[in-house]
């Protein structure tokens, strides 16, 4: 039996950075439409895109739009992919709770990720910690690509870098290695009503990041709070896209419409990311 926008079976591939938020989307969609069964596979972004190109799945959730080569492949297949922007995401820098260097500039991060800075005393002159160990979530992840595209500008990564194989494993590594620094999607640590998020936040420290080369005060450093993502003042931001290769109005189209619609965008809002549609109310609590 052919699927419809609200029934049938669908396999999707999702950049595993967004596992918490997409699992909430899938669970809510299936509760609303009991005849729908969506199987989500969470994996590195490069693998998710390959699944979409090879027709292993009809929908992929990633942090970039199609490359020229990918668009050319769809053109060859005479497929017009549908692309919906779902959210604005932030990347959080995390360190061990004992690390006193919890304020870093973008320039310092560039030097750390390229290996120009290899020891913590080089960051601020504070002694106590030695070599810097840089940890990513997985090989070929969107996080790694973001660092190479937006921070290192194509320069090779430091030799003291490795992949932790998952986002929870990254947080556990940083929590148990005082010399470590990690970079992780903010939705893993932003929903403070989630018990697992509360647990993660007890184990690591979130670094404040400044885009200014010479910050004048602690106020120049920002953490990836939702408001700073919405105002575009937090420097480590990226968009999240849902890409569908479905040529008809099937379950892929129905799920995409839900994720980009009001209910799906409310889930985005609760997760700590910035919804692509709808308005956010930002209140300045410093004003009287």
């Amino acid at each position: 039996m052919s699927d419809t926008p609200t029934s049938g079976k669908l396999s999707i591939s999702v950049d595993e950075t967004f596992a918490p938020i997409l699992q909430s989307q899938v669970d809510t969609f299936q509760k609303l439409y009991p005849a729908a069964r969506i199987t989500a596979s969470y994996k590195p972004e490069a693998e998710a895109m390959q699944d979409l190109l090879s027709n292993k799945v009809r929908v992929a959730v990633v942090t970039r739009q199609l490359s020229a080569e990918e668009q050319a492949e769809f053109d060859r297949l005479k497929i017009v992919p549908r692309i919906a922007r779902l959210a604005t995401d932030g990347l959080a820098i995390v360190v061990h709770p004992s690390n006193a260097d919890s304020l870093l500039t973008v320039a310092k991060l560039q030097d750390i990720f390229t290996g120009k800075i290899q020891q913590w005393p080089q960051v601020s002159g504070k002694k106590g910690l030695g070599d810097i160990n840089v940890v990513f979530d997985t090989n070929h992840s969107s996080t790694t690509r973001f660092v190479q595209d937006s921070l290192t500008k194509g320069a090779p990564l430091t030799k003291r870098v490795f992949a932790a194989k998952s986002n929870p494993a990254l947080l556990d590594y940083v929590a148990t290695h005082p010399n470590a620094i990690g970079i992780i999607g903010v939705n893993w640590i932003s929903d403070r009503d989630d018990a697992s998020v509360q647990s993660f936040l007890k184990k690591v420290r979130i670094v404040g990041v400044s885009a200014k080369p010479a910050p004048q005060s602690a106020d120049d450093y920002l953490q990836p709070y939702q408001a700073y993502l919405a105002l575009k003042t937090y420097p480590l931001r990226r968009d999240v896209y849902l890409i569908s290769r479905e040529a008809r109005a099937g379950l892929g189209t129905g799920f995409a419409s839900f994720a980009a619609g009001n209910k799906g965008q409310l889930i985005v809002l609760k997760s700590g990311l910035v919804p692509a549609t709808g308005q956010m109310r930002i209140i300045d609590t410093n004003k009287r």
Side-chain angles (χ1 to χ4, degrees):
M1 185 179 71
S2 178
D3 57 283
T4 74
T6 58
S7 68
K9 296 181 179 180
L10 174 71
S11 294
I12 67 175
S13 285
V14 180
D15 176 347
E16 60 189 347
T17 306
F18 305 105
I21 182 174
L22 259 295
Q23 193 57 54
S24 294
Q25 297 266 14
V26 169
D27 290 345
T28 303
F29 185 85
Q30 291 181 149
K31 287 178 182 177
L32 290 172
Y33 306 106
R37 286 293 175 266
I38 299 176
T39 301
S41 297
Y42 302 102
K43 55 186 61 181
E45 181 181 72
E47 294 181 21
M49 286 300 300
Q50 186 55 44
D51 286 350
L52 185 69
L53 288 166
S54 63
N55 201 27
K56 186 176 180 180
V57 299
R58 284 181 274 160
V59 171
V61 177
V62 293
T63 64
R64 63 176 178 83
Q65 299 201 45
L66 298 173
S67 67
E69 293 78 9
E70 291 162 349
Q71 183 62 60
E73 177 62 14
F74 280 123
D75 291 344
R76 185 186 68 80
L77 296 171
K78 294 182 170 54
I79 294 174
V80 180
R82 302 178 184 180
I83 302 175
R85 188 170 73 88
L86 295 184
T88 297
D89 174 45
L91 287 169
I93 305 296
V94 294
V95 295
H96 190 271
S98 67
N99 193 330
D101 287 312
S102 59
L103 300 177
L104 297 173
T105 64
V106 170
K108 283 283 176 67
L109 288 173
Q110 290 171 337
D111 289 344
I112 289 172
F113 286 122
T114 57
K116 185 176 180 180
I117 290 178
Q118 298 186 17
Q119 294 192 325
W120 283 108
Q122 294 176 268
V123 175
S124 62
K126 298 173 183 176
K127 298 181 180 180
L129 298 178
D131 292 335
I132 300 174
N133 295 323
V134 177
V135 56
F136 288 94
D137 44 4
T138 61
N139 289 319
H140 309 297
S141 73
S142 62
T143 304
T144 306
R145 181 181 59 77
F146 177 90
V147 169
Q148 292 177 309
D149 289 350
S150 301
L151 284 178
T152 70
K153 309 297 184 182
L157 293 173
T158 175
K159 293 181 180 179
R160 298 189 65 86
V161 62
F162 75 99
K165 298 185 179 180
S166 72
N167 287 277
L170 180 154
L171 290 166
D172 286 339
Y173 183 88
V174 174
T176 54
H177 293 76
N179 287 19
I181 183 171
I183 182 166
I184 191 169
V186 74
N187 77 132
W188 283 94
I189 54 173
S190 55
D191 186 354
R192 295 173 185 260
D193 293 331
D194 188 308
S196 61
V197 170
Q198 294 174 13
S199 176
F200 288 148
L201 289 174
K202 291 178 182 177
K203 298 191 294 184
V204 298
R205 173 179 287 187
I206 310 302
V207 171
V209 181
S210 177
K212 298 180 179 180
Q216 299 301 306
S217 71
D219 292 338
D220 290 331
Y221 296 88
L222 303 176
Q223 292 189 348
Y225 293 132
Q226 197 170 42
Y228 297 142
L229 295 176
L231 294 170
K232 299 182 179 181
T233 50
Y234 183 74
L236 307 181
R237 304 182 315 277
R238 60 184 181 175
D239 288 328
V240 184
Y241 299 94
L242 185 150
I243 305 177
S244 171
R245 60 176 289 152
E246 198 168 71
R248 59 184 178 79
L251 187 53
T253 301
F255 180 68
S257 297
F258 167 81
N262 184 56
K263 289 185 174 65
Q265 292 292 284
L266 285 175
I267 293 173
V268 171
L269 182 66
K270 185 180 184 300
S271 77
L273 276 62
V274 178
T277 59
Q279 295 184 343
M280 284 184 59
R281 185 185 181 195
I282 299 174
I283 301 174
D284 187 348
T285 57
N286 291 320
K287 291 183 178 181
R288 296 181 178 179

